Amino acid sequence: MVSKGYLLATAVVALIVTDTAQAETIQVTIKKLAFAPADIHAKVGDTVKWVNTDPIAHSATTKGGWDLTIPPNKTASEVMKKAGEFNYHCRFHPNMKGHITVAP
Ligand SMILES: [Cu+2]
């Protein structure tokens, strides 16, 4: 006889597994001193991955938050932990700007 408690626990585990499987990686390419796309949408738990195709280093920097240096021809990733609207820029090239909307 399978208890109701067991069935509930199984359902909860299934939900968690499904949720994890939905986390996505969103790629932003850095090319010729620009983030492309410059405006992206993510959910909490998603990873944003910057791919630097330039021969020089860049960063993805947000005030009071993450600050990633992305060396030439390398990548850097950050998991989005907070919902909200985030402007970011490149520390080395203040004209390089991006925006991320993170849904809960
Ligand atoms: Cu830069």
Side-chain angles (χ1 to χ4, degrees), residues 21-97:
Q22 283 175 345
E24 289 176 47
T25 298
I26 298 141
Q27 188 171 308
V28 177
T29 302
I30 303 172
K31 197 175 178 184
K32 294 181 179 167
L33 289 100
F35 297 109
D39 199 348
I40 59 168
H41 290 252
K43 300 184 301 290
V44 168
D46 285 353
T47 299
V48 178
K49 181 181 180 186
W50 286 269
V51 179
N52 185 2
T53 66
D54 280 347
I56 53 171
H58 293 292
S59 84
T61 303
T62 187
K63 279 179 193 152
W66 27 269
D67 180 15
L68 305 172
T69 300
I70 313 139
N73 300 306
K74 290 268 164 49
T75 69
S77 299
E78 182 76 13
V79 176
M80 297 296 112
K81 297 188 186 86
K82 275 202 301 190
E85 303 272 333
F86 302 95
N87 288 307
Y88 68 95
H89 63 279
C90 170
R91 247 185 294 126
F92 311 114
H93 313 100
N95 287 338
M96 290 175 64
K97 285 176 182 157

